Amino acid sequence: MSVLFLLLLVIVAAAATSETIDFKSNDVTTVAEARVSGADTKAVVKGHIVRKINDNKYVFQDKTGEIIIDLSPKAGSLPADTTAEIEIEGRVEQDLVFAGIEAQKISVLN
C-alpha cells in the first residue's frame, strides 16, 4: 500500500512539473510578464519608446510598465516619431537583477 501511494505521489509531482515547464514556454505579451518570465522566453510586446539609453538600448513602455530593449542590428529601425505604437518581437534576457528584451524585429503599428 505504501509503495502504491509513493508511486502515485511521484506521478502527480511529475505531472505538476511538466505543466509548469509548458507554461513557461508560452510567449509573453506584456512588460510585466517579461520581467517575471525566464530567460530566452519569446516576447511580443506592444507599446512605445520612452527614451534612448545608448546606440542600441532604449527604454520601452507598455500599459504594464517599462523595460530595457536591446536592438539587434537586424531588428530594423525605430520610427522617428517616439509616440508611435510599435510591436517588438524578441527574447527575454534575464539575470538576478536585470530583465530586458533583445529585440529581433520591430514593426510600426500606427
Side-chain angles (χ1 to χ4, degrees), residues 7-78:
L7 182 60
L8 182 60
L9 186 62
V10 168
I11 291 170
V12 170
T17 303
S18 68
E19 287 181 34
T20 304
I21 292 169
D22 289 343
F23 177 74
K24 287 191 174 196
S25 68
N26 292 338
D27 297 354
V28 296
T29 57
T30 67
V31 168
E33 290 173 339
R35 290 185 168 281
V36 297
S37 69
D40 292 327
T41 302
K42 185 176 177 187
V44 180
V45 293
K46 296 177 184 176
H48 63 278
I49 298 296
V50 176
R51 67 183 172 279
K52 182 176 181 174
I53 297 173
N54 62 31
D55 287 340
N56 64 335
K57 290 191 189 285
Y58 296 83
V59 176
F60 175 85
Q61 182 178 35
D62 71 1
K63 61 185 177 201
T64 66
E66 294 181 349
I67 197 165
I68 294 176
I69 300 294
D70 185 6
L71 297 179
S72 74
K74 56 186 172 185
S77 59
L78 292 171

Side-chain angles (χ1 to χ4, degrees), residues 94-109:
Q94 193 169 46
D95 60 25
L96 294 175
V97 295
F98 171 78
I101 297 175
E102 181 180 354
Q104 297 167 345
K105 181 180 176 187
I106 297 170
S107 305
V108 178
L109 299 176

